[in-house]
Amino acid sequence: MCKGLALSSTCLERAKELKSRMVNFLQKSNWSLSSCKIGKTRPTLEECMRWKESFEKLLSNKHGLIAFTDFLVSEFSEENIAFYFACEDFRSTKSAAKLAAKAQRIYDEFICTDAPREVNIDHETRDITRANLKDPSTSCFDMAQHRIYLLMAKDCYPRFLRSPAYKDHISQLCAKCTSTSKKA
């Protein structure tokens, strides 16, 4: 690379990750709801319309979750949904012995400065979460998870609903329903 420039290994790892993300983005710059096919099933018009009712309904639907995650990947913010579900998994941890190790892994991956998939939380939340790790409990990420949930609900979710892919998919399903009802 550049001969007189000394870069830390963390910086180089981050650059490699960004390069990988960029290649992925260029290969899949336009996400589409066709990618949320599960097995042989695709989301129905009714399912897709329910996603508009609330963020909770979107996340609780398997097709909706896949579509929303694909959307976040296209916006380079998939770490938000990954963190949210890592916290959900962490909360269900029964073994006290596994709690501390799992908490540290989540913190290292999503919260600490220079984390590979760092989520966007304020310093106060970050400091409280760090302090919670001294005596980990299943609720030590609650504040950070809540902040990320609100960020997704108030920012990412409305953009998802306004996205051309979501609107086009709804239009296609409506057109399909209309043509099917005309044939009957």
Side-chain angles (χ1 to χ4, degrees), residues 44-106:
T44 63
L45 176 60
E46 293 76 25
E47 276 182 286
C48 292
M49 294 304 283
R50 272 192 300 261
W51 300 347
K52 290 174 102 173
E53 293 174 15
S54 73
F55 186 51
E56 293 82 19
K57 289 192 179 184
L58 172 72
L59 292 184
S60 65
N61 179 274
K62 61 186 176 186
H63 291 107
L65 178 59
I66 291 169
F68 185 65
T69 301
D70 283 350
F71 172 74
L72 292 177
V73 167
S74 76
E75 291 206 330
F76 298 107
S77 58
E78 73 275 6
E79 69 277 355
N80 294 324
I81 197 79
F83 174 70
Y84 178 81
F85 281 106
C87 292
E88 289 296 299
D89 176 61
F90 176 77
R91 190 176 289 114
S92 68
T93 302
K94 304 286 184 225
S95 168
K98 291 182 180 178
L99 212 57
K102 253 185 171 178
Q104 192 61 53
R105 269 197 307 274
I106 291 171

Side-chain angles (χ1 to χ4, degrees), residues 130-158:
R130 186 181 316 114
N132 289 344
L133 289 183
K134 291 176 182 163
D135 186 24
S137 70
T138 55
S139 63
C140 67
F141 292 106
D142 284 359
M143 182 183 230
Q145 183 187 26
H146 181 69
R147 297 266 196 258
I148 293 303
Y149 180 86
L150 289 177
L151 174 73
M152 290 189 298
K154 292 181 181 195
D155 184 43
C156 304
Y157 173 63

